[in-house]
Amino acid sequence: MFGIPGKQAVTLTPAAAAQIARLMARDGAQGLRIGVKKGGCAGMEYTMEYVTTVDPLDEAVEQDGARVMIAPMAQMFLFGTEIDYETGLLESGFKFRNPNVVDACGCGESIKFAET
């Protein structure tokens, strides 16, 4: 929808692709759908959910056995984002490196995009 020919909407690090592929295999999912919704102290939050059926309007990114679908309303906000999976001493989770974000809250759960 908002793509550039020859360029994926989002990229996955090897760690993120491996974790998504593990989750897909464990839960029998077709992939992971990512999006954004209003909420949080900065105004927007990322959403993630397992997908059992692929929506033809989703932008699909496949890499190393992992499949990520981007909800149509989120495509313009997520274009150019790198998704990583980090494991730390106290927490593990997906990290979004999104060039479209202009501000984020201190806890890292909420983001803000430039107003157009």
Side-chain angles (χ1 to χ4, degrees):
M1 185 175 218
F2 289 95
I4 295 174
K7 182 167 172 51
Q8 292 189 116
V10 299
T11 57
L12 306 174
T13 65
Q19 180 65 14
I20 292 167
R22 275 193 295 273
L23 292 171
M24 288 170 59
R26 183 190 75 189
D27 296 327
Q30 294 292 312
L32 191 67
R33 180 176 291 123
I34 59 173
V36 294
K37 69 176 185 174
K38 289 187 178 192
C41 50
M44 301 287 278
E45 296 175 321
Y46 293 112
T47 62
M48 299 179 85
E49 63 182 345
Y50 293 115
V51 175
T52 55
T53 58
V54 177
D55 184 330
L57 297 178
D58 286 348
E59 177 74 24
V61 174
E62 296 187 39
Q63 179 182 321
D64 302 326
R67 182 182 298 125
V68 172
M69 278 75 73
I70 305 170
M73 296 301 291
Q75 291 175 12
M76 68 180 175
F77 296 110
L78 296 174
F79 191 79
T81 297
E82 177 187 67
I83 301 172
D84 193 10
Y85 187 80
E86 296 178 357
T87 303
L89 183 60
L90 298 175
E91 66 180 9
S92 298
F94 290 101
K95 303 293 180 188
F96 291 72
R97 293 184 189 97
N98 187 335
N100 305 303
V101 170
V102 296
D103 197 13
C105 66
C107 67
E109 297 291 324
S110 180
I111 52 177
K112 181 178 180 182
F113 297 101
E115 296 180 25
T116 56

